[in-house]
Amino acid sequence: MKRIALDTFTDLELCDLLRESSHRTLKYIYDKHWQSLYQHSYKFLKDEELAKDVVQEVFFDFWKRREELKIDNIRAYLFQSVRFQSLKNLRRLDNLDIHEVHFENFLSSNNTQEQLDFDELNLVIKNSLNELPEKYRQMFEMSKFEHLSNKEIAERFSLSTRTVEWYLLKISKHLKTSLAYCSHLLIALFA
């Protein structure tokens, strides 16, 4: 059976193919738009890794929502999603800067309840990391604690950089879910 070139399809037809769980279609859209989406995100964030994370997250959401999408212009949709995610990350980073002072004050304080909350939060993070397969945990530790780039991690595991990015996105989502259950601790620590 002869494969039809995907560049002959309209965006609505590509969305129909995505709904049928066509990985080939997703890869085509990803390859076609990744670089320009990354550059768009980088303009906002001025951080290579964060810009890559934003684009990965947008494509992850795009794939997850493929069954409900009816898009006339995939490029415009993806650019709007990247812009939204980039701005959302900027707001989060601004909030982190604001709370950094509170965190430093917390570290220097001797408040027993705050220390217990902090210890509990550390335990939740540690347990969440221990739920991950060894390879995932190693990738996360290399990225966050050893500050290795995705390319360096990919070389150590003999994987593509994009595969490492995908794993790190999945790990981040796992940790966010785990941390959502202890949001009361985060509020107590940074209120």
Short mmCIF file of all heavy atoms in Angstrom, two decimals, residues 71-119:
data_model
loop_
_atom_site.label_atom_id
_atom_site.label_comp_id
_atom_site.label_asym_id
_atom_site.label_seq_id
_atom_site.Cartn_x
_atom_site.Cartn_y
_atom_site.Cartn_z
N ILE A 71 -9.38 21.57 14.32
CA ILE A 71 -8.57 22.77 14.12
C ILE A 71 -8.44 23.08 12.64
O ILE A 71 -8.05 22.22 11.85
CB ILE A 71 -7.16 22.56 14.73
CG1 ILE A 71 -7.27 22.22 16.22
CG2 ILE A 71 -6.29 23.78 14.53
CD1 ILE A 71 -5.98 21.76 16.83
N ASP A 72 -8.75 24.31 12.28
CA ASP A 72 -8.58 24.76 10.90
C ASP A 72 -7.12 25.10 10.60
O ASP A 72 -6.68 24.99 9.46
CB ASP A 72 -9.43 26.01 10.62
CG ASP A 72 -10.92 25.71 10.68
OD1 ASP A 72 -11.30 24.58 10.36
OD2 ASP A 72 -11.68 26.62 11.03
N ASN A 73 -6.40 25.56 11.62
CA ASN A 73 -5.02 26.00 11.42
C ASN A 73 -4.17 25.47 12.57
O ASN A 73 -4.11 26.08 13.64
CB ASN A 73 -4.98 27.53 11.36
CG ASN A 73 -3.61 28.05 10.99
OD1 ASN A 73 -2.59 27.43 11.26
ND2 ASN A 73 -3.59 29.22 10.37
N ILE A 74 -3.53 24.32 12.36
CA ILE A 74 -2.74 23.67 13.40
C ILE A 74 -1.60 24.58 13.86
O ILE A 74 -1.33 24.70 15.05
CB ILE A 74 -2.20 22.31 12.91
CG1 ILE A 74 -3.36 21.32 12.78
CG2 ILE A 74 -1.14 21.77 13.86
CD1 ILE A 74 -3.00 19.97 12.20
N ARG A 75 -0.94 25.23 12.91
CA ARG A 75 0.19 26.10 13.26
C ARG A 75 -0.26 27.21 14.20
O ARG A 75 0.37 27.47 15.22
CB ARG A 75 0.80 26.70 11.99
CG ARG A 75 2.04 27.52 12.22
CD ARG A 75 2.62 28.02 10.88
NE ARG A 75 3.96 28.51 11.00
CZ ARG A 75 4.29 29.71 11.50
NH1 ARG A 75 3.36 30.52 11.91
NH2 ARG A 75 5.56 30.08 11.58
N ALA A 76 -1.36 27.87 13.90
CA ALA A 76 -1.87 28.95 14.74
C ALA A 76 -2.26 28.41 16.12
O ALA A 76 -1.98 29.04 17.15
CB ALA A 76 -3.07 29.61 14.08
N TYR A 77 -2.90 27.24 16.15
CA TYR A 77 -3.28 26.63 17.41
C TYR A 77 -2.06 26.34 18.28
O TYR A 77 -2.03 26.66 19.47
CB TYR A 77 -4.06 25.33 17.15
CG TYR A 77 -4.34 24.53 18.40
CD1 TYR A 77 -5.44 24.82 19.19
CD2 TYR A 77 -3.48 23.50 18.78
CE1 TYR A 77 -5.68 24.09 20.35
CE2 TYR A 77 -3.72 22.77 19.93
CZ TYR A 77 -4.82 23.07 20.71
OH TYR A 77 -5.04 22.35 21.86
N LEU A 78 -1.02 25.74 17.67
CA LEU A 78 0.19 25.41 18.42
C LEU A 78 0.91 26.67 18.90
O LEU A 78 1.38 26.72 20.04
CB LEU A 78 1.12 24.53 17.57
CG LEU A 78 0.61 23.12 17.29
CD1 LEU A 78 1.51 22.42 16.28
CD2 LEU A 78 0.49 22.30 18.56
N PHE A 79 0.99 27.68 18.06
CA PHE A 79 1.64 28.94 18.46
C PHE A 79 0.88 29.59 19.62
O PHE A 79 1.50 30.09 20.56
CB PHE A 79 1.76 29.90 17.27
CG PHE A 79 3.07 29.78 16.56
CD1 PHE A 79 3.25 28.78 15.61
CD2 PHE A 79 4.12 30.63 16.83
CE1 PHE A 79 4.47 28.64 14.95
CE2 PHE A 79 5.33 30.50 16.18
CZ PHE A 79 5.51 29.51 15.24
N GLN A 80 -0.43 29.58 19.55
CA GLN A 80 -1.23 30.16 20.63
C GLN A 80 -1.01 29.36 21.92
O GLN A 80 -0.87 29.95 23.00
CB GLN A 80 -2.70 30.18 20.25
CG GLN A 80 -3.59 30.83 21.28
CD GLN A 80 -5.04 30.87 20.84
OE1 GLN A 80 -5.41 30.33 19.81
NE2 GLN A 80 -5.87 31.52 21.62
N SER A 81 -0.96 28.05 21.82
CA SER A 81 -0.73 27.20 22.99
C SER A 81 0.65 27.45 23.59
O SER A 81 0.80 27.53 24.81
CB SER A 81 -0.86 25.72 22.61
OG SER A 81 -2.16 25.43 22.17
N VAL A 82 1.65 27.57 22.73
CA VAL A 82 3.02 27.83 23.21
C VAL A 82 3.08 29.21 23.88
O VAL A 82 3.71 29.37 24.93
CB VAL A 82 4.05 27.70 22.07
CG1 VAL A 82 5.37 28.34 22.43
CG2 VAL A 82 4.25 26.24 21.71
N ARG A 83 2.44 30.19 23.29
CA ARG A 83 2.42 31.54 23.87
C ARG A 83 1.78 31.49 25.26
O ARG A 83 2.32 32.02 26.23
CB ARG A 83 1.67 32.51 22.98
CG ARG A 83 1.64 33.94 23.51
CD ARG A 83 0.88 34.91 22.61
NE ARG A 83 1.38 34.90 21.24
CZ ARG A 83 0.71 34.46 20.19
NH1 ARG A 83 -0.51 33.99 20.33
NH2 ARG A 83 1.23 34.48 18.99
N PHE A 84 0.64 30.82 25.36
CA PHE A 84 -0.06 30.70 26.64
C PHE A 84 0.81 30.00 27.68
O PHE A 84 0.96 30.48 28.81
CB PHE A 84 -1.39 29.95 26.44
CG PHE A 84 -2.10 29.68 27.73
CD1 PHE A 84 -2.82 30.68 28.35
CD2 PHE A 84 -2.04 28.42 28.31
CE1 PHE A 84 -3.48 30.43 29.55
CE2 PHE A 84 -2.69 28.17 29.51
CZ PHE A 84 -3.41 29.18 30.13
N GLN A 85 1.40 28.86 27.31
CA GLN A 85 2.24 28.11 28.24
C GLN A 85 3.49 28.90 28.65
O GLN A 85 3.92 28.85 29.79
CB GLN A 85 2.67 26.77 27.64
CG GLN A 85 1.62 25.69 27.70
CD GLN A 85 1.20 25.37 29.11
OE1 GLN A 85 0.07 25.62 29.50
NE2 GLN A 85 2.09 24.83 29.90
N SER A 86 4.06 29.63 27.71
CA SER A 86 5.25 30.43 28.00
C SER A 86 4.91 31.53 29.00
O SER A 86 5.64 31.75 29.98
CB SER A 86 5.82 31.04 26.72
OG SER A 86 6.27 30.02 25.85
N LEU A 87 3.79 32.22 28.78
CA LEU A 87 3.38 33.28 29.70
C LEU A 87 3.02 32.71 31.07
O LEU A 87 3.32 33.31 32.10
CB LEU A 87 2.21 34.06 29.10
CG LEU A 87 2.56 34.89 27.86
CD1 LEU A 87 1.30 35.50 27.24
CD2 LEU A 87 3.58 35.97 28.18
N LYS A 88 2.39 31.56 31.06
CA LYS A 88 2.06 30.89 32.32
C LYS A 88 3.35 30.56 33.09
O LYS A 88 3.42 30.77 34.31
CB LYS A 88 1.28 29.61 32.01
CG LYS A 88 0.76 28.86 33.20
CD LYS A 88 -0.11 27.71 32.72
CE LYS A 88 -0.19 26.61 33.73
NZ LYS A 88 -0.92 25.44 33.24
N ASN A 89 4.37 30.09 32.39
CA ASN A 89 5.66 29.80 33.02
C ASN A 89 6.33 31.08 33.53
O ASN A 89 6.95 31.06 34.58
CB ASN A 89 6.59 29.06 32.05
CG ASN A 89 6.40 27.57 32.13
OD1 ASN A 89 6.93 26.92 33.00
ND2 ASN A 89 5.61 27.03 31.21
N LEU A 90 6.21 32.16 32.78
CA LEU A 90 6.78 33.43 33.24
C LEU A 90 6.12 33.88 34.54
O LEU A 90 6.80 34.32 35.47
CB LEU A 90 6.60 34.52 32.18
CG LEU A 90 7.65 34.58 31.08
CD1 LEU A 90 7.29 35.67 30.07
CD2 LEU A 90 9.03 34.82 31.65
N ARG A 91 4.80 33.76 34.61
CA ARG A 91 4.10 34.13 35.85
C ARG A 91 4.55 33.24 37.00
O ARG A 91 4.77 33.72 38.11
CB ARG A 91 2.58 34.03 35.66
CG ARG A 91 2.00 35.21 34.91
CD ARG A 91 0.48 35.23 34.97
NE ARG A 91 -0.13 34.10 34.30
CZ ARG A 91 -0.40 34.05 33.01
NH1 ARG A 91 -0.10 35.07 32.23
NH2 ARG A 91 -0.97 32.99 32.47
N ARG A 92 4.71 31.95 36.72
CA ARG A 92 5.16 31.03 37.77
C ARG A 92 6.56 31.40 38.23
O ARG A 92 6.85 31.42 39.42
CB ARG A 92 5.14 29.59 37.23
CG ARG A 92 5.51 28.55 38.29
CD ARG A 92 5.48 27.14 37.71
NE ARG A 92 6.33 26.95 36.56
CZ ARG A 92 7.65 26.76 36.62
NH1 ARG A 92 8.27 26.74 37.76
NH2 ARG A 92 8.36 26.57 35.52
N LEU A 93 7.45 31.73 37.28
CA LEU A 93 8.81 32.13 37.65
C LEU A 93 8.81 33.42 38.47
O LEU A 93 9.57 33.55 39.43
CB LEU A 93 9.67 32.29 36.40
CG LEU A 93 10.00 31.00 35.65
CD1 LEU A 93 10.69 31.32 34.33
CD2 LEU A 93 10.87 30.08 36.50
N ASP A 94 7.94 34.36 38.10
CA ASP A 94 7.83 35.59 38.89
C ASP A 94 7.38 35.28 40.30
O ASP A 94 7.90 35.84 41.27
CB ASP A 94 6.84 36.57 38.24
CG ASP A 94 7.42 37.22 36.99
OD1 ASP A 94 8.65 37.16 36.78
OD2 ASP A 94 6.62 37.78 36.21
N ASN A 95 6.41 34.37 40.43
CA ASN A 95 5.95 33.98 41.76
C ASN A 95 7.05 33.28 42.54
O ASN A 95 7.18 33.47 43.75
CB ASN A 95 4.73 33.06 41.67
CG ASN A 95 3.48 33.81 41.29
OD1 ASN A 95 3.38 35.02 41.49
ND2 ASN A 95 2.52 33.11 40.71
N LEU A 96 7.87 32.48 41.87
CA LEU A 96 9.00 31.83 42.55
C LEU A 96 9.98 32.86 43.08
O LEU A 96 10.50 32.72 44.18
CB LEU A 96 9.70 30.85 41.61
CG LEU A 96 8.98 29.55 41.32
CD1 LEU A 96 9.76 28.72 40.31
CD2 LEU A 96 8.75 28.75 42.58
N ASP A 97 10.24 33.91 42.29
CA ASP A 97 11.13 34.97 42.75
C ASP A 97 10.57 35.64 43.99
O ASP A 97 11.31 35.93 44.94
CB ASP A 97 11.33 36.02 41.65
CG ASP A 97 12.18 35.50 40.49
OD1 ASP A 97 12.87 34.47 40.68
OD2 ASP A 97 12.13 36.10 39.41
N ILE A 98 9.27 35.88 44.00
CA ILE A 98 8.63 36.51 45.16
C ILE A 98 8.76 35.62 46.38
O ILE A 98 9.07 36.08 47.48
CB ILE A 98 7.14 36.81 44.87
CG1 ILE A 98 7.03 37.91 43.82
CG2 ILE A 98 6.38 37.17 46.13
CD1 ILE A 98 5.65 38.07 43.22
N HIS A 99 8.55 34.31 46.20
CA HIS A 99 8.58 33.38 47.33
C HIS A 99 9.99 32.97 47.73
O HIS A 99 10.18 32.38 48.79
CB HIS A 99 7.74 32.14 47.02
CG HIS A 99 6.28 32.43 46.95
ND1 HIS A 99 5.57 32.89 48.02
CD2 HIS A 99 5.41 32.37 45.91
CE1 HIS A 99 4.32 33.08 47.68
NE2 HIS A 99 4.19 32.78 46.40
N GLU A 100 10.98 33.29 46.92
CA GLU A 100 12.36 32.92 47.25
C GLU A 100 12.78 33.54 48.58
O GLU A 100 13.42 32.89 49.41
CB GLU A 100 13.31 33.38 46.13
CG GLU A 100 14.73 32.89 46.31
CD GLU A 100 15.58 33.26 45.11
OE1 GLU A 100 15.10 33.11 43.97
OE2 GLU A 100 16.70 33.70 45.34
N VAL A 101 12.38 34.77 48.82
CA VAL A 101 12.70 35.44 50.08
C VAL A 101 12.05 34.70 51.24
O VAL A 101 12.69 34.45 52.27
CB VAL A 101 12.24 36.92 50.05
CG1 VAL A 101 12.40 37.58 51.39
CG2 VAL A 101 12.97 37.67 48.96
N HIS A 102 10.77 34.30 51.06
CA HIS A 102 10.09 33.55 52.11
C HIS A 102 10.80 32.22 52.37
O HIS A 102 10.94 31.80 53.52
CB HIS A 102 8.62 33.27 51.73
CG HIS A 102 7.79 34.49 51.63
ND1 HIS A 102 7.47 35.28 52.71
CD2 HIS A 102 7.20 35.07 50.56
CE1 HIS A 102 6.73 36.28 52.32
NE2 HIS A 102 6.54 36.19 51.02
N PHE A 103 11.25 31.58 51.32
CA PHE A 103 11.93 30.30 51.45
C PHE A 103 13.25 30.47 52.19
O PHE A 103 13.57 29.69 53.10
CB PHE A 103 12.16 29.69 50.07
CG PHE A 103 12.73 28.30 50.11
CD1 PHE A 103 11.99 27.26 50.64
CD2 PHE A 103 14.00 28.04 49.62
CE1 PHE A 103 12.50 25.97 50.67
CE2 PHE A 103 14.51 26.76 49.65
CZ PHE A 103 13.76 25.72 50.19
N GLU A 104 14.01 31.51 51.85
CA GLU A 104 15.27 31.76 52.56
C GLU A 104 15.03 32.05 54.03
O GLU A 104 15.76 31.58 54.90
CB GLU A 104 16.04 32.90 51.88
CG GLU A 104 16.64 32.50 50.56
CD GLU A 104 17.24 33.67 49.78
OE1 GLU A 104 17.24 34.81 50.28
OE2 GLU A 104 17.70 33.41 48.66
N ASN A 105 13.97 32.83 54.31
CA ASN A 105 13.62 33.10 55.71
C ASN A 105 13.23 31.83 56.43
O ASN A 105 13.58 31.62 57.58
CB ASN A 105 12.47 34.12 55.79
CG ASN A 105 12.90 35.50 55.38
OD1 ASN A 105 14.09 35.83 55.39
ND2 ASN A 105 11.94 36.32 54.99
N PHE A 106 12.51 30.96 55.72
CA PHE A 106 12.11 29.70 56.32
C PHE A 106 13.33 28.84 56.66
O PHE A 106 13.42 28.27 57.74
CB PHE A 106 11.19 28.92 55.36
CG PHE A 106 11.09 27.46 55.70
CD1 PHE A 106 10.37 27.05 56.80
CD2 PHE A 106 11.75 26.51 54.92
CE1 PHE A 106 10.29 25.71 57.12
CE2 PHE A 106 11.67 25.19 55.25
CZ PHE A 106 10.93 24.77 56.34
N LEU A 107 14.28 28.78 55.75
CA LEU A 107 15.47 27.97 55.99
C LEU A 107 16.27 28.47 57.19
O LEU A 107 16.90 27.68 57.88
CB LEU A 107 16.35 27.93 54.74
CG LEU A 107 15.80 27.14 53.56
CD1 LEU A 107 16.74 27.25 52.37
CD2 LEU A 107 15.57 25.69 53.92
N SER A 108 16.24 29.78 57.42
CA SER A 108 17.02 30.33 58.53
C SER A 108 16.23 30.35 59.84
O SER A 108 16.78 30.65 60.88
CB SER A 108 17.50 31.74 58.19
OG SER A 108 16.40 32.59 58.00
N SER A 109 14.94 30.02 59.79
CA SER A 109 14.12 30.06 61.01
C SER A 109 14.21 28.73 61.74
O SER A 109 14.62 27.71 61.21
CB SER A 109 12.66 30.37 60.67
OG SER A 109 12.03 29.23 60.13
N ASN A 110 13.78 28.76 62.99
CA ASN A 110 13.79 27.55 63.82
C ASN A 110 12.37 27.08 64.13
O ASN A 110 12.16 26.38 65.10
CB ASN A 110 14.54 27.82 65.14
CG ASN A 110 16.02 27.97 64.90
OD1 ASN A 110 16.57 27.32 64.03
ND2 ASN A 110 16.66 28.83 65.68
N ASN A 111 11.39 27.48 63.32
CA ASN A 111 10.01 27.13 63.56
C ASN A 111 9.82 25.62 63.41
O ASN A 111 10.01 25.05 62.34
CB ASN A 111 9.11 27.89 62.58
CG ASN A 111 7.65 27.67 62.85
OD1 ASN A 111 7.20 26.56 63.11
ND2 ASN A 111 6.91 28.77 62.80
N THR A 112 9.42 24.96 64.48
CA THR A 112 9.29 23.51 64.50
C THR A 112 8.23 23.01 63.53
O THR A 112 8.47 22.04 62.80
CB THR A 112 8.94 23.02 65.93
OG1 THR A 112 9.91 23.54 66.83
CG2 THR A 112 8.92 21.51 66.00
N GLN A 113 7.05 23.64 63.47
CA GLN A 113 5.99 23.20 62.55
C GLN A 113 6.44 23.34 61.11
O GLN A 113 6.20 22.46 60.29
CB GLN A 113 4.69 23.98 62.79
CG GLN A 113 3.53 23.49 61.92
CD GLN A 113 3.20 22.03 62.13
OE1 GLN A 113 3.07 21.56 63.25
NE2 GLN A 113 3.09 21.27 61.04
N GLU A 114 7.09 24.45 60.79
CA GLU A 114 7.59 24.64 59.42
C GLU A 114 8.61 23.57 59.07
O GLU A 114 8.62 23.05 57.97
CB GLU A 114 8.20 26.04 59.27
CG GLU A 114 7.18 27.14 59.22
CD GLU A 114 7.81 28.52 59.08
OE1 GLU A 114 9.03 28.64 59.24
OE2 GLU A 114 7.06 29.46 58.79
N GLN A 115 9.47 23.23 60.02
CA GLN A 115 10.47 22.19 59.76
C GLN A 115 9.80 20.84 59.54
O GLN A 115 10.18 20.09 58.64
CB GLN A 115 11.47 22.10 60.92
CG GLN A 115 12.63 21.15 60.64
CD GLN A 115 13.44 21.55 59.42
OE1 GLN A 115 13.82 22.70 59.27
NE2 GLN A 115 13.71 20.61 58.54
N LEU A 116 8.75 20.54 60.33
CA LEU A 116 8.01 19.29 60.13
C LEU A 116 7.34 19.26 58.77
O LEU A 116 7.36 18.23 58.08
CB LEU A 116 6.97 19.11 61.24
CG LEU A 116 7.50 18.79 62.63
CD1 LEU A 116 6.37 18.84 63.65
CD2 LEU A 116 8.19 17.45 62.66
N ASP A 117 6.74 20.40 58.36
CA ASP A 117 6.12 20.49 57.04
C ASP A 117 7.15 20.28 55.94
O ASP A 117 6.91 19.58 54.96
CB ASP A 117 5.42 21.84 56.85
CG ASP A 117 4.17 21.99 57.70
OD1 ASP A 117 3.65 20.95 58.18
OD2 ASP A 117 3.73 23.14 57.87
N PHE A 118 8.30 20.92 56.10
CA PHE A 118 9.37 20.80 55.12
C PHE A 118 9.86 19.36 55.02
O PHE A 118 10.06 18.83 53.93
CB PHE A 118 10.52 21.75 55.48
CG PHE A 118 11.57 21.86 54.42
CD1 PHE A 118 11.31 22.54 53.24
CD2 PHE A 118 12.83 21.31 54.59
CE1 PHE A 118 12.26 22.66 52.25
CE2 PHE A 118 13.79 21.43 53.60
CZ PHE A 118 13.51 22.10 52.43
N ASP A 119 10.02 18.70 56.17
CA ASP A 119 10.46 17.29 56.19
C ASP A 119 9.43 16.40 55.52
O ASP A 119 9.78 15.48 54.76
CB ASP A 119 10.70 16.82 57.63
CG ASP A 119 11.91 17.47 58.27
OD1 ASP A 119 12.75 18.06 57.52
OD2 ASP A 119 12.03 17.41 59.51
#
